Amino acid sequence: MKFLQLARKGENNWWRYFVTIILTNPGISIGAIIGSIYIYLLFSLIGLYPAMGFLGGLADILSYNIVSAFLIFILYICMVAIHHRNFKTVLTAHEKIQWHRILKGFIVWFLILLMLLFLSFSESNLKFTFDPVAYPFLVIVSLTIFFQAGFEEIFFRGYLLQAFGMKKPILAVILTALIFAAGHWGNQATFTGNIDIFIDTFIFGMVVAIITIFEDGVETAIGIHTANNMFCALIVNDGTSAFYETLPSIFTDFSTPLTPLEQLIYSSLIMGALLLIIILPQRLNLIKNILKRN
Protein backbone atom coordinates (compact mmCIF):
# COMPACT_ATOMS: atom_id res chain seq x y z
CA MET A 1 0.00 0.00 0.00
CA LYS A 2 2.99 2.34 0.36
CA PHE A 3 3.05 2.80 -3.40
CA LEU A 4 -0.45 4.27 -3.52
CA GLN A 5 0.34 6.78 -0.80
CA LEU A 6 3.31 8.22 -2.67
CA ALA A 7 0.91 10.55 -4.46
CA ARG A 8 0.57 12.46 -1.20
CA LYS A 9 4.18 13.60 -1.55
CA GLY A 10 3.20 15.94 -4.36
CA GLU A 11 0.52 18.44 -5.28
CA ASN A 12 -2.82 16.79 -6.04
CA ASN A 13 -5.21 19.53 -7.09
CA TRP A 14 -7.74 18.34 -9.67
CA TRP A 15 -6.43 20.67 -12.35
CA ARG A 16 -2.95 19.14 -12.09
CA TYR A 17 -4.36 15.73 -12.97
CA PHE A 18 -6.50 17.24 -15.72
CA VAL A 19 -3.55 18.97 -17.39
CA THR A 20 -1.30 15.92 -17.07
CA ILE A 21 -3.92 13.58 -18.52
CA ILE A 22 -4.61 15.98 -21.40
CA LEU A 23 -0.89 16.10 -22.14
CA THR A 24 0.07 12.47 -21.69
CA ASN A 25 -2.76 9.94 -21.92
CA PRO A 26 -1.97 7.17 -24.43
CA GLY A 27 -5.15 7.78 -26.41
CA ILE A 28 -5.91 11.27 -27.70
CA SER A 29 -3.57 13.65 -25.91
CA ILE A 30 -1.57 16.67 -26.90
CA GLY A 31 1.65 14.74 -26.43
CA ALA A 32 0.42 11.80 -28.51
CA ILE A 33 -0.78 14.09 -31.30
CA ILE A 34 2.50 16.02 -31.44
CA GLY A 35 4.52 12.82 -31.34
CA SER A 36 2.38 11.15 -34.00
CA ILE A 37 2.64 14.11 -36.38
CA TYR A 38 6.41 14.21 -35.96
CA ILE A 39 6.76 10.46 -36.55
CA TYR A 40 4.44 10.59 -39.57
CA LEU A 41 6.48 13.38 -41.17
CA LEU A 42 9.74 11.61 -40.37
CA PHE A 43 8.58 8.23 -41.68
CA SER A 44 7.11 9.84 -44.79
CA LEU A 45 10.44 11.52 -45.43
CA ILE A 46 12.37 8.25 -45.26
CA GLY A 47 9.74 6.29 -47.18
CA LEU A 48 8.12 4.20 -44.44
CA TYR A 49 4.77 5.93 -45.00
CA PRO A 50 2.77 4.97 -46.90
CA ALA A 51 3.82 1.34 -46.68
CA MET A 52 1.93 -1.87 -47.27
CA GLY A 53 2.24 -5.40 -45.95
CA PHE A 54 4.76 -6.17 -43.24
CA LEU A 55 6.52 -2.82 -43.70
CA GLY A 56 3.27 -1.09 -42.82
CA GLY A 57 2.92 -3.26 -39.74
CA LEU A 58 6.47 -2.55 -38.64
CA ALA A 59 5.97 1.17 -39.19
CA ASP A 60 2.77 1.08 -37.11
CA ILE A 61 4.49 -0.62 -34.18
CA LEU A 62 7.63 1.49 -34.34
CA SER A 63 5.73 4.76 -34.57
CA TYR A 64 3.50 3.96 -31.60
CA ASN A 65 6.45 2.84 -29.50
CA ILE A 66 8.48 5.96 -30.28
CA VAL A 67 5.48 8.12 -29.39
CA SER A 68 5.20 6.19 -26.11
CA ALA A 69 8.83 6.98 -25.31
CA PHE A 70 8.05 10.64 -25.96
CA LEU A 71 5.03 10.43 -23.64
CA ILE A 72 7.22 9.01 -20.87
CA PHE A 73 9.35 12.13 -21.20
CA ILE A 74 6.27 14.39 -21.11
CA LEU A 75 4.93 12.56 -18.06
CA TYR A 76 8.30 13.03 -16.38
CA ILE A 77 8.04 16.78 -16.95
CA CYS A 78 4.46 16.81 -15.66
CA MET A 79 5.38 14.96 -12.49
CA VAL A 80 8.22 17.35 -11.72
CA ALA A 81 6.76 20.65 -12.93
CA ILE A 82 3.04 20.18 -12.25
CA HIS A 83 2.79 17.67 -9.39
CA HIS A 84 6.13 18.62 -7.80
CA ARG A 85 6.99 14.96 -7.31
CA ASN A 86 9.94 12.77 -8.07
CA PHE A 87 9.19 10.75 -11.21
CA LYS A 88 10.35 7.60 -9.44
CA THR A 89 7.29 7.80 -7.21
CA VAL A 90 5.06 6.63 -10.08
CA LEU A 91 7.40 3.71 -10.66
CA THR A 92 8.15 2.24 -7.26
CA ALA A 93 7.99 2.78 -3.52
CA HIS A 94 11.34 1.05 -3.11
CA GLU A 95 14.60 2.90 -2.74
CA LYS A 96 15.69 1.77 -6.19
CA ILE A 97 13.83 0.54 -9.26
CA GLN A 98 13.49 -3.25 -9.03
CA TRP A 99 14.83 -4.17 -12.47
CA HIS A 100 14.84 -7.88 -11.64
CA ARG A 101 11.07 -7.76 -11.24
CA ILE A 102 10.69 -6.49 -14.80
CA LEU A 103 12.66 -9.52 -15.96
CA LYS A 104 10.68 -11.81 -13.66
CA GLY A 105 7.34 -10.57 -14.98
CA PHE A 106 8.55 -10.90 -18.56
CA ILE A 107 9.82 -14.46 -18.20
CA VAL A 108 6.84 -15.76 -16.22
CA TRP A 109 4.18 -14.40 -18.58
CA PHE A 110 6.09 -15.26 -21.76
CA LEU A 111 6.48 -18.86 -20.59
CA ILE A 112 2.78 -19.05 -19.71
CA LEU A 113 1.86 -17.81 -23.19
CA LEU A 114 4.19 -20.35 -24.80
CA MET A 115 2.61 -23.12 -22.73
CA LEU A 116 -0.89 -22.02 -23.74
CA LEU A 117 0.18 -21.96 -27.39
CA PHE A 118 1.53 -25.50 -27.11
CA LEU A 119 -1.60 -26.80 -25.38
CA SER A 120 -3.99 -25.23 -27.89
CA PHE A 121 -1.90 -25.74 -31.01
CA SER A 122 -4.02 -28.52 -32.49
CA GLU A 123 -7.28 -26.64 -31.92
CA SER A 124 -6.22 -23.15 -33.00
CA ASN A 125 -6.71 -21.79 -36.48
CA LEU A 126 -3.06 -20.87 -36.82
CA LYS A 127 -1.33 -20.12 -40.08
CA PHE A 128 2.44 -20.33 -40.41
CA THR A 129 3.45 -16.85 -41.56
CA PHE A 130 7.15 -16.76 -40.73
CA ASP A 131 9.17 -14.72 -43.21
CA PRO A 132 12.94 -15.25 -42.81
CA VAL A 133 13.70 -11.98 -44.60
CA ALA A 134 11.28 -9.78 -42.68
CA TYR A 135 11.47 -11.45 -39.27
CA PRO A 136 14.85 -9.97 -38.21
CA PHE A 137 13.40 -6.50 -38.79
CA LEU A 138 10.40 -7.44 -36.65
CA VAL A 139 12.70 -8.60 -33.84
CA ILE A 140 14.58 -5.29 -33.90
CA VAL A 141 11.40 -3.22 -33.95
CA SER A 142 9.87 -5.35 -31.18
CA LEU A 143 12.63 -4.30 -28.81
CA THR A 144 10.98 -0.88 -28.69
CA ILE A 145 7.79 -2.45 -27.31
CA PHE A 146 9.34 -1.94 -23.88
CA PHE A 147 8.63 1.80 -24.20
CA GLN A 148 4.99 1.28 -25.19
CA ALA A 149 4.27 -1.27 -22.47
CA GLY A 150 6.33 0.67 -19.97
CA PHE A 151 4.47 3.91 -20.58
CA GLU A 152 1.04 2.31 -20.34
CA GLU A 153 1.94 0.65 -17.05
CA ILE A 154 3.45 3.83 -15.62
CA PHE A 155 0.39 5.81 -16.69
CA PHE A 156 -2.35 3.35 -15.69
CA ARG A 157 -0.81 1.34 -12.85
CA GLY A 158 1.39 4.17 -11.64
CA TYR A 159 -0.10 7.60 -12.19
CA LEU A 160 -3.84 6.82 -12.37
CA LEU A 161 -3.80 4.01 -9.81
CA GLN A 162 -2.20 6.34 -7.29
CA ALA A 163 -4.61 9.14 -8.17
CA PHE A 164 -7.67 6.98 -7.51
CA GLY A 165 -6.13 4.78 -4.85
CA MET A 166 -5.02 7.15 -2.12
CA LYS A 167 -8.34 6.56 -0.33
CA LYS A 168 -10.07 3.69 -2.16
CA PRO A 169 -7.62 1.08 -3.51
CA ILE A 170 -10.28 -1.41 -4.64
CA LEU A 171 -12.13 1.26 -6.59
CA ALA A 172 -8.82 2.35 -8.10
CA VAL A 173 -8.10 -1.17 -9.36
CA ILE A 174 -11.51 -1.39 -11.03
CA LEU A 175 -11.51 2.12 -12.50
CA THR A 176 -8.03 1.92 -13.98
CA ALA A 177 -8.81 -1.50 -15.44
CA LEU A 178 -12.01 -0.15 -17.01
CA ILE A 179 -10.22 2.82 -18.55
CA PHE A 180 -7.41 0.57 -19.77
CA ALA A 181 -9.89 -1.86 -21.34
CA ALA A 182 -11.92 0.92 -22.94
CA GLY A 183 -8.75 2.15 -24.63
CA HIS A 184 -8.45 -1.19 -26.44
CA TRP A 185 -11.94 -1.06 -27.90
CA GLY A 186 -11.70 -0.94 -31.68
CA ASN A 187 -8.59 -3.12 -31.90
CA GLN A 188 -10.69 -5.90 -33.42
CA ALA A 189 -12.64 -5.91 -36.66
CA THR A 190 -15.83 -7.39 -35.17
CA PHE A 191 -18.11 -6.44 -32.28
CA THR A 192 -17.63 -9.84 -30.62
CA GLY A 193 -13.89 -9.49 -30.99
CA ASN A 194 -13.99 -6.11 -29.28
CA ILE A 195 -16.12 -7.50 -26.44
CA ASP A 196 -13.53 -10.24 -25.98
CA ILE A 197 -10.58 -7.88 -25.92
CA PHE A 198 -12.43 -5.58 -23.51
CA ILE A 199 -13.00 -8.47 -21.11
CA ASP A 200 -9.45 -9.74 -21.49
CA THR A 201 -7.78 -6.36 -20.99
CA PHE A 202 -10.09 -5.51 -18.08
CA ILE A 203 -9.06 -8.65 -16.22
CA PHE A 204 -5.44 -8.10 -17.24
CA GLY A 205 -5.62 -4.55 -15.91
CA MET A 206 -7.03 -5.65 -12.56
CA VAL A 207 -4.44 -8.38 -12.09
CA VAL A 208 -1.42 -6.21 -12.86
CA ALA A 209 -2.88 -3.46 -10.64
CA ILE A 210 -3.15 -5.93 -7.75
CA ILE A 211 0.42 -7.05 -8.37
CA THR A 212 1.54 -3.41 -8.43
CA ILE A 213 -0.14 -2.70 -5.09
CA PHE A 214 1.18 -5.90 -3.54
CA GLU A 215 4.76 -5.29 -4.70
CA ASP A 216 4.69 -1.51 -4.23
CA GLY A 217 5.82 -0.83 -7.77
CA VAL A 218 5.01 -1.19 -11.47
CA GLU A 219 8.14 -3.15 -12.35
CA THR A 220 6.56 -6.61 -12.62
CA ALA A 221 3.58 -5.15 -14.47
CA ILE A 222 5.93 -3.60 -17.04
CA GLY A 223 7.61 -6.96 -17.56
CA ILE A 224 4.29 -8.77 -17.98
CA HIS A 225 2.93 -6.18 -20.40
CA THR A 226 6.14 -6.17 -22.45
CA ALA A 227 6.11 -9.96 -22.68
CA ASN A 228 2.47 -9.96 -23.75
CA ASN A 229 2.97 -7.49 -26.58
CA MET A 230 6.25 -8.99 -27.75
CA PHE A 231 4.65 -12.43 -27.84
CA CYS A 232 1.80 -11.05 -29.96
CA ALA A 233 4.28 -9.45 -32.35
CA LEU A 234 6.94 -12.16 -32.59
CA ILE A 235 5.17 -15.46 -31.97
CA VAL A 236 1.43 -15.27 -32.66
CA ASN A 237 0.01 -12.25 -34.45
CA ASP A 238 -3.73 -11.65 -34.35
CA GLY A 239 -5.12 -12.09 -37.84
CA THR A 240 -8.43 -10.46 -36.90
CA SER A 241 -6.91 -7.23 -35.60
CA ALA A 242 -8.20 -3.99 -37.06
CA PHE A 243 -5.30 -1.99 -35.69
CA TYR A 244 -2.08 -3.24 -37.25
CA GLU A 245 -1.10 -4.24 -40.75
CA THR A 246 0.02 -7.83 -41.26
CA LEU A 247 3.15 -8.73 -39.32
CA PRO A 248 5.66 -11.44 -40.28
CA SER A 249 5.15 -13.25 -36.97
CA ILE A 250 5.90 -16.96 -36.76
CA PHE A 251 2.17 -17.66 -36.65
CA THR A 252 -0.97 -15.68 -37.33
CA ASP A 253 -4.14 -16.64 -35.49
CA PHE A 254 -7.38 -16.54 -37.49
CA SER A 255 -9.49 -18.26 -34.84
CA THR A 256 -13.13 -17.34 -34.36
CA PRO A 257 -13.57 -15.10 -31.29
CA LEU A 258 -14.79 -16.75 -28.11
CA THR A 259 -18.19 -15.98 -26.70
CA PRO A 260 -18.07 -13.31 -23.97
CA LEU A 261 -18.70 -15.93 -21.28
CA GLU A 262 -15.96 -18.18 -22.62
CA GLN A 263 -13.57 -15.23 -22.75
CA LEU A 264 -14.45 -14.25 -19.18
CA ILE A 265 -13.78 -17.76 -17.88
CA TYR A 266 -10.61 -18.21 -19.93
CA SER A 267 -9.08 -14.84 -19.01
CA SER A 268 -10.02 -15.23 -15.35
CA LEU A 269 -8.37 -18.64 -15.10
CA ILE A 270 -5.18 -17.65 -16.91
CA MET A 271 -4.72 -14.30 -15.22
CA GLY A 272 -5.65 -15.83 -11.88
CA ALA A 273 -2.88 -18.37 -12.37
CA LEU A 274 -0.45 -15.56 -13.19
CA LEU A 275 -1.45 -13.72 -10.03
CA LEU A 276 -0.81 -16.80 -7.91
CA ILE A 277 2.54 -17.51 -9.54
CA ILE A 278 3.73 -13.96 -8.91
CA ILE A 279 2.35 -13.39 -5.43
CA LEU A 280 2.26 -16.81 -3.75
CA PRO A 281 6.06 -17.32 -3.49
CA GLN A 282 6.40 -13.90 -1.87
CA ARG A 283 3.64 -14.71 0.60
CA LEU A 284 5.33 -17.99 1.49
CA ASN A 285 8.65 -16.21 2.03
CA LEU A 286 6.91 -13.70 4.27
CA ILE A 287 5.38 -16.50 6.34
CA LYS A 288 8.77 -18.24 6.61
CA ASN A 289 10.43 -15.04 7.83
CA ILE A 290 7.72 -14.53 10.44
CA LEU A 291 8.12 -18.11 11.66
CA LYS A 292 11.90 -17.72 11.89
CA ARG A 293 11.52 -14.64 14.07
CA ASN A 294 9.30 -16.58 16.43
Side-chain angles (χ1 to χ4, degrees):
M1 289 292 188
K2 291 187 297 182
F3 180 70
L4 296 182
Q5 301 308 315
L6 290 178
R8 298 183 184 277
K9 291 190 174 184
E11 301 290 340
N12 295 301
N13 311 74
W14 69 267
W15 65 266
R16 299 178 193 272
Y17 285 101
F18 179 77
V19 172
T20 300
I21 290 171
I22 290 296
L23 288 173
T24 65
N25 80 81
I28 302 175
S29 66
I30 294 175
I33 292 172
I34 293 173
S36 297
I37 292 173
Y38 174 78
I39 293 301
Y40 179 81
L41 293 175
L42 177 63
F43 281 13
S44 297
L45 184 65
I46 63 178
L48 278 179
Y49 280 151
M52 302 298 291
F54 81 88
L55 279 178
L58 294 180
D60 286 341
I61 293 178
L62 185 59
S63 62
Y64 189 65
N65 295 344
I66 293 175
V67 170
S68 295
F70 176 66
L71 289 175
I72 292 175
F73 174 69
I74 298 298
L75 183 58
Y76 171 86
I77 293 175
C78 289
M79 294 307 300
V80 174
I82 297 177
H83 285 280
H84 301 150
R85 285 170 58 189
N86 189 321
F87 182 67
K88 187 174 76 70
T89 60
V90 292
L91 298 173
T92 185
H94 300 278
E95 185 177 347
K96 296 181 180 180
I97 295 174
Q98 307 293 294
W99 295 101
H100 67 280
R101 285 183 170 171
I102 297 177
L103 182 61
K104 175 194 69 178
F106 183 94
I107 292 174
V108 169
W109 187 232
F110 203 88
L111 288 177
I112 289 175
L113 292 175
L114 283 175
M115 181 189 70
L116 292 173
L117 174 64
F118 176 77
L119 293 175
S120 63
F121 196 84
S122 60
E123 301 176 2
S124 300
N125 190 9
L126 293 174
K127 181 180 179 182
F128 186 71
T129 52
F130 176 74
D131 184 338
V133 175
Y135 197 76
F137 294 98
L138 178 61
V139 172
I140 294 171
V141 169
S142 293
L143 295 177
T144 64
I145 286 175
F146 177 79
F147 294 109
Q148 176 260 325
F151 171 69
E152 290 189 5
E153 290 309 313
I154 294 169
F155 184 81
F156 287 104
R157 259 63 70 176
Y159 184 70
L160 287 188
L161 189 66
Q162 288 179 340
F164 293 130
M166 284 186 285
K167 295 181 179 179
K168 298 180 179 180
I170 296 176
L171 180 62
V173 169
I174 296 172
L175 281 177
T176 54
L178 279 172
I179 298 170
F180 179 69
H184 287 77
W185 187 273
N187 281 13
Q188 295 294 307
T190 65
F191 180 78
T192 302
N194 281 307
I195 290 290
D196 283 356
I197 199 169
F198 182 89
I199 293 171
D200 189 52
T201 50
F202 174 70
I203 295 173
F204 179 92
M206 286 203 300
V207 167
V208 291
I210 292 170
I211 292 172
T212 296
I213 293 172
F214 178 80
E215 294 190 338
D216 279 324
V218 300
E219 296 96 336
T220 298
I222 290 174
I224 293 170
H225 199 152
T226 303
N228 187 80
N229 291 9
M230 288 190 73
F231 184 89
C232 293
L234 295 173
I235 310 299
V236 182
N237 179 38
D238 186 358
T240 63
S241 174
F243 191 67
Y244 289 121
E245 294 281 351
T246 303
L247 293 174
S249 312
I250 297 177
F251 300 103
T252 299
D253 187 4
F254 294 96
S255 299
T256 303
L258 300 173
T259 66
L261 179 59
E262 289 172 336
Q263 185 66 58
L264 177 62
I265 295 172
Y266 178 81
S267 297
S268 297
L269 289 174
I270 301 305
M271 295 307 300
L274 172 65
L275 185 63
L276 287 176
I277 291 171
I278 295 294
I279 290 181
L280 190 58
Q282 298 179 61
R283 279 295 183 189
L284 292 176
N285 288 333
L286 179 62
I287 294 172
K288 288 179 181 178
N289 291 333
I290 293 174
L291 292 175
K292 286 180 181 179
R293 292 173 187 172
N294 296 329

